[in-house]
Amino acid sequence: MSTENLPQSPEQQLRKPRVAVVFGGRSSEHGISVVTAGAVLRAIDRTKYDVLPIGITADGRWALTADEPDRMAITDRRTPNVEELAESDEGGVVLSVDPGSREVVYTEPGSVPKVLGEVDVVFPMLHGPYGEDGTLQGLLELSGVPYVGSGVLASAVGQDKEYMKRVFVSFGLPVGPYEVIRPREWANDPAAARKKIVDFAGEHGWPLFIKPARGGSSMGITKVDGLAGLDDAIAEAQRHDPKILVESLLRGREIECGVLEFEDGPRASVPAEIPPVTAHDFYDFEAKYIDSAAGLVPAPLTDEQTAEVQRLAVAAFDAASCEGLVRADFFLTEDGEFVINEINTMPGFTPISMYPRMWQESGVAYTELVDRLIQAALTRSTGLR
C-alpha cells in the first residue's frame, strides 16, 4: 500500500519534512558508513528539514544518536562507530511497519515508550550487507516510508557482484572475466574449489583479485600473484562474505562516473580517473579513506571516451533498475575499450568521495546534491512503481 495519498493533518502540512538519516549497521563497512552520514548531516539544510539521526550498532540495535557530525570523522586513522554516538546503551528505535503510520518510537527498559513523531523520508547511509543490499529497503517498503536511492531489487543486484555482472551481460554491457566460489563449494571440497581458481588463472593469467562477492569499500580484497597466497586471500574474503568472487587483472586505467536521477531521467556526471596508487598494491580501503588517494576530476579523456563512459554508466543504471544515484566503476583497457567493473547504489559520500566530487565538477554542489536526493525521494511513492 502506498502512503502518498494519505490525508495530512494541519500539523503535517505546516511542519518541515523530517529526514531520518540511518547509518552504521552490521556490516564490516560500519565505520565508513558513520563517516559518510556525518558529511550528509553537516550538509542537510536545517531551514528546510528536521533531521533525526538513527545509528544501527554493530549488533543490530537501532539507537538514537547525537546530531554531532564533527564526532563522525576519521581520527588518527580510526573510523568512528555508533556505540560512541548512541544516547543510551540500551534504548532502541522502532519504525512502525504499519503503512498507515510513519511514527518512530523510542523505548528503554523500564520506561514508557516515547513517540518521536513521524518520519517523511529516510536517507539510508548504510554500506554493505544488512542495509545497502535491499534489506533495509524492504523494511521501508513495508513501512510505507519513502527513502533515498534504489529499491529492493536494484539494491540487492548492486550488492551481489555475481548477479550484478549477470544482469550487465544480459543487457549487452562489457564485463571482465570472473569466477564465483560458493560457500558450499569451499566447505565441501576445497581442493576442487582451489582447482577451479587455478584453472581460471591458467586461462586468464595471474595475478588474480580475490574479493567478497557482497562487500564494498574495497574491504577484504587481496591481490594474489600465485598459488602460495591463495588460501590466505580466500580466508580474508570470507571474513566479510562466505561467497567469493575471483577476477582477473584488467590492465588499463580506472575510470568512475556518477549517475543522478533528474526529473527527466538519469544523467551522468563528468567522469573521474583513479591514478595508480604507488603506496598501495591497488585502490584498497586504506588508499580510499585513510590515505585519501586523490582522483583526477574530470578524467583526462577524449570527448568520445567521455561520451562513451557516460552512456555506459546510464545504461548500467537502467539495466539494474536503479533509482536516485549510482557510481559506476570502469576499466579503460589498453585496447581502448571500457569494461564495467561494478556499480554502487549508495556510494561513499564523505568529503573526499569521488561521487560528490564528480557532481561538484558537473555543476551540482554537495549541499544541492543532498537536497536533490531528498526531494526526489519525497516525491516517489513506496510500493510498485
Side-chain angles (χ1 to χ4, degrees):
M1 174 182 173
S2 171
T3 61
E4 63 177 332
N5 296 317
L6 287 176
Q8 290 190 317
S9 68
E11 292 78 9
Q12 288 175 308
Q13 294 169 5
L14 291 173
R15 67 174 175 81
K16 293 181 289 187
R18 175 173 288 173
V19 181
V21 178
V22 181
F23 58 94
R26 295 164 56 190
S27 83
S28 54
E29 296 176 77
H30 177 105
I32 199 61
S33 170
V34 178
V35 176
T36 299
V40 169
L41 285 170
R42 192 177 290 111
I44 291 178
D45 185 350
R46 304 308 176 95
T47 68
K48 292 180 64 174
Y49 307 105
D50 285 329
V51 177
L52 180 65
I54 299 175
I56 301 178
T57 64
D59 61 3
R61 177 173 65 93
W62 288 45
L64 276 183
T65 66
D67 186 5
E68 299 177 13
D70 290 344
R71 294 174 56 196
M72 302 167 71
I74 295 173
T75 305
D76 297 327
R77 303 179 70 85
R78 176 182 171 276
T79 57
N81 61 69
V82 169
E83 285 80 355
E84 297 169 337
L85 299 163
E87 295 188 349
S88 166
D89 293 335
E90 296 182 301
V93 175
V94 177
L95 181 66
S96 171
V97 293
D98 177 1
S101 170
R102 296 175 178 175
E103 286 188 339
V104 173
V105 177
Y106 178 71
T107 62
E108 270 193 288
S111 300
V112 176
K114 178 182 178 182
V115 177
L116 301 179
E118 292 193 343
V119 165
D120 297 289
V121 64
V122 169
F123 204 135
M125 303 309 305
L126 295 155
H127 297 305
Y130 312 109
E132 190 183 354
D133 59 349
T135 50
L136 177 62
Q137 290 75 14
L139 172 63
L140 296 173
E141 292 286 349
L142 287 173
S143 301
V145 180
Y147 52 93
V148 171
S150 290
V152 176
L153 173 66
S155 297
V157 168
Q159 188 66 45
D160 191 314
K161 294 177 177 62
E162 175 194 357
Y163 287 97
M164 179 197 305
K165 292 176 186 291
R166 290 181 182 274
V167 168
F168 290 160
V169 168
S170 72
F171 277 81
L173 297 174
V175 171
Y178 71 96
E179 187 59 86
V180 177
I181 303 297
R182 302 183 186 283
R184 66 175 177 273
E185 291 182 80
W186 186 253
N188 295 342
D189 194 344
R194 194 179 295 110
K195 181 179 184 301
K196 187 176 176 181
I197 297 173
V198 171
D199 289 346
F200 178 80
E203 181 178 358
H204 300 287
W206 299 93
L208 300 178
F209 289 91
I210 311 298
K211 59 177 63 177
R214 295 162 291 194
S217 295
S218 298
M219 300 182 77
I221 301 177
T222 305
K223 180 183 176 183
V224 292
D225 295 310
L227 191 59
L230 185 58
D231 281 17
D232 286 344
I234 290 171
E236 171 60 18
Q238 286 186 326
R239 287 201 311 113
H240 302 268
D241 184 353
K243 184 165 80 165
I244 300 165
L245 191 75
V246 181
E247 294 178 337
S248 63
L249 174 67
L250 290 175
R251 301 187 185 278
R253 300 160 61 186
E254 291 190 52
I255 306 295
E256 297 184 350
C257 190
V259 180
L260 180 63
E261 194 167 15
F262 287 76
E263 292 78 8
D264 59 351
R267 301 181 199 170
S269 70
V270 300
E273 179 170 5
I274 308 301
V277 185
T278 55
H280 298 264
D281 208 20
F282 59 96
Y283 191 46
D284 61 6
F285 179 85
E286 294 272 326
K288 281 182 179 179
Y289 297 110
I290 304 299
D291 294 332
S292 303
L296 303 176
V297 187
L301 300 171
T302 67
D303 291 345
E304 291 76 13
Q305 288 172 330
T306 295
E308 176 63 4
V309 76
Q310 289 174 327
R311 181 190 72 81
L312 289 170
V314 172
F317 182 97
D318 286 336
S321 298
C322 296
E323 295 170 287
L325 72 163
V326 149
R327 193 194 73 232
D329 300 345
F330 298 85
F331 290 102
L332 177 55
T333 63
E334 293 175 337
D335 61 4
E337 298 297 322
F338 283 103
V339 174
I340 186 165
N341 185 41
E342 65 181 56
I343 58 171
N344 283 266
T345 56
M346 186 50 70
F349 247 87
T350 69
I352 62 170
S353 296
M354 297 306 296
Y355 184 84
R357 288 184 58 197
M358 287 187 286
W359 278 108
Q360 175 79 38
E361 188 67 25
S362 304
V364 182
Y366 190 93
T367 53
E368 180 187 349
L369 181 61
V370 170
D371 185 71
R372 179 172 286 277
L373 289 168
I374 293 171
Q375 286 296 319
L378 284 168
T379 59
R380 189 168 58 231
S381 67
T382 55
L384 299 177
R385 52 188 184 275

